[in-house]
Amino acid sequence: MLRHAIQRNSILLGLFAAITATLLATTHLGTADRIADAERRAAQKALLEIVPRDQHDNDLLRDTVPVPRAFWPTLGLRESDSPVGGFNLHIARRAGQPVAVLVPAIAADGYSGPIRLIIGINMDGTVAGVRVQSHTETPGLGDKIDLKKHTWILSFDGKSLNNPQPEGWRVKKDQGEFDQFTGATITPRAVVAQVYATLGYFAQDRGRLRAALSPATASMGAQNSSPDKQAD
């Protein structure tokens, strides 16, 4: 009888363990989906702040092309920071035509550490907008680069490589045209320099991007990635 009791308890424990494992796995999957959805919404919100919905008609999160590795140093991007698959440009289109490119960049020389940026550049080379994705700058001083704290970051809107002239792409303390913050010059100086460098990148890569992002090329790429093509 003792043997049967032990066997029965073992079976019950096994069933309990299996049920518990199933519940934990189900909970994890449900939580992972919610986290992924939240991250997608946050990323989409940042992109839409730069290129609003009325300026494009495609999915900014899905319409991407890789950032060529040769340009990573110009954009402040490092291998150690790279997501799986590398860094991507997000493309804004209207009726198939590219209207803006959203470029990831990192100003590595912030006062308290790297400043992660997303820089929108219209196809004519003007700045569509700049947003700070993350930073560790001093609250009340350097954190004014965050639009939630100050409107300073909007001063880049409409600027280009030649507007202002190259010597103007500095903070006013360095005889440039961009304001600095009282008690915090290093932070805005780093952001100004990186936005200018990113515009330089776009000027060099614009010809390749125009060809790669043309409607015909995009259509061909979509056909090549269809299930029928992949099965060949």
Side-chain angles (χ1 to χ4, degrees):
M1 183 174 291
L2 178 60
R3 180 180 177 184
H4 289 306
I6 292 174
Q7 288 178 337
R8 184 181 61 203
N9 289 338
S10 297
I11 292 172
L12 289 174
L13 286 172
L15 287 172
F16 178 76
I19 292 171
T20 302
T22 301
L23 289 173
L24 288 173
T26 302
T27 301
H28 172 73
L29 289 174
T31 303
D33 288 343
R34 287 197 297 273
I35 292 174
D37 184 61
E39 290 177 345
R40 174 183 168 83
R41 289 177 183 274
Q44 187 177 51
K45 181 176 182 295
L47 297 178
L48 289 175
E49 284 184 5
I50 298 174
V51 185
R53 290 187 184 278
D54 62 355
Q55 295 179 18
H56 71 280
D57 55 17
N58 65 319
D59 187 336
L60 296 179
L61 287 181
R62 294 182 181 276
D63 198 340
T64 63
V65 296
V67 178
R69 283 181 175 268
F71 291 111
W72 286 18
T74 301
L75 299 173
L77 306 177
R78 302 176 300 180
E79 190 74 41
S80 59
D81 299 315
S82 174
V84 176
F87 296 97
N88 285 322
L89 305 170
H90 293 267
I91 313 303
R93 301 177 191 265
R94 179 184 285 276
Q97 293 287 350
V99 296
V101 176
L102 295 128
V103 187
I106 299 177
D109 47 357
Y111 181 78
S112 300
I115 301 168
R116 294 178 177 274
L117 305 165
I118 187 76
I119 301 170
I121 305 177
N122 297 313
M123 295 307 291
D124 65 2
T126 58
V127 175
V130 180
R131 292 296 184 274
V132 174
Q133 291 187 302
S134 66
H135 69 89
T136 55
E137 301 303 280
T138 307
L141 294 173
D143 68 344
K144 291 178 181 177
I145 55 174
D146 190 332
L147 185 58
K148 295 177 183 177
K149 306 289 184 179
H150 199 277
T151 59
W152 178 83
I153 202 75
L154 300 179
S155 62
F156 294 105
D157 294 5
K159 297 294 194 294
S160 67
L161 276 179
N162 297 311
N163 175 30
Q165 292 298 309
E167 59 272 15
W169 276 93
R170 302 184 180 93
V171 295
K172 290 181 178 178
K173 186 176 182 179
D174 300 331
Q175 290 73 56
E177 295 193 13
F178 293 87
D179 290 330
Q180 64 267 343
F181 311 138
T182 302
T185 301
I186 294 176
T187 302
R189 181 184 287 149
V191 175
V192 169
Q194 188 54 63
V195 173
Y196 183 67
T198 302
L199 285 170
Y201 147 71
F202 181 76
Q204 294 179 65
D205 201 28
R206 176 162 45 183
R208 182 193 70 87
L209 285 172
R210 283 189 182 279
L213 301 178
S214 68
T217 304
S219 175
M220 186 180 299
Q223 291 175 6
N224 290 338
S225 63
S226 67
D228 291 341
K229 293 290 184 180
Q230 290 177 345
D232 288 344

